[in-house]
Amino acid sequence: MAKQRDDFVDLIVDNLQLFCPATAKRMFGGYGIFCGDLMFALIIAGELYVKVDDENRNLFEEKGLEKFSYLRQGKTCYLSYYTVPEEVIDDLDTLSYWAGLGYEAALRANN
């Protein structure tokens, strides 16, 4: 039986339409969020994470946002994705700003 997308994924994709024609694809036990072919965000366990790199990581760390982690063979592993502030989810302009940070990091990583 195919697993249905949850309401949070639909909300994020809908709210990101101001930023780009965002889509969600099932992966990593959650969803990758894409603008075209470029993945710039993840939704895992009801949390939105965006791509970070050396150019924007300090902003996320200064705000105390959480880095995406998972367990693999009993060891904690990290990906270059951080949560966004919870209050931005329903503010389309602010969500677009944070999504833009992730998109720019994904573009830099793709070059």
Side-chain angles (χ1 to χ4, degrees):
M1 178 179 220
K3 207 170 187 183
Q4 292 183 341
R5 276 192 1 190
D6 65 32
D7 292 338
F8 184 69
V9 174
D10 291 336
L11 173 70
I12 295 300
V13 169
D14 288 347
N15 287 357
L16 284 171
Q17 295 307 303
L18 178 66
F19 172 69
C20 76
T23 59
K25 295 180 186 172
R26 189 127 179 83
M27 53 183 17
F28 310 124
Y31 293 87
I33 305 300
F34 292 79
C35 187
D37 293 332
L38 189 64
M39 188 171 107
F40 67 95
L42 296 169
I43 296 176
I44 304 283
E47 291 285 342
L48 174 63
Y49 298 84
V50 297
K51 179 88 172 145
V52 301
D53 62 10
D54 290 340
E55 289 191 37
N56 66 10
R57 184 173 291 108
N58 285 343
L59 176 62
F60 290 81
E61 290 176 349
E62 287 170 3
K63 293 200 168 285
L65 299 170
E66 292 183 38
K67 189 173 188 177
F68 176 73
S69 66
Y70 63 96
L71 286 178
R72 182 177 182 182
Q73 299 176 345
K75 182 180 176 186
T76 302
C77 300
Y78 297 93
L79 294 180
S80 294
Y81 288 83
Y82 279 71
T83 57
V84 298
E86 195 173 313
E87 65 273 9
V88 309
I89 300 301
D90 293 320
D91 181 331
L92 302 184
D93 291 328
T94 308
L95 179 60
S96 291
Y97 167 77
W98 287 91
L101 294 172
Y103 184 77
E104 290 166 3
L107 281 174
R108 288 189 292 269
N110 240 17
N111 289 330

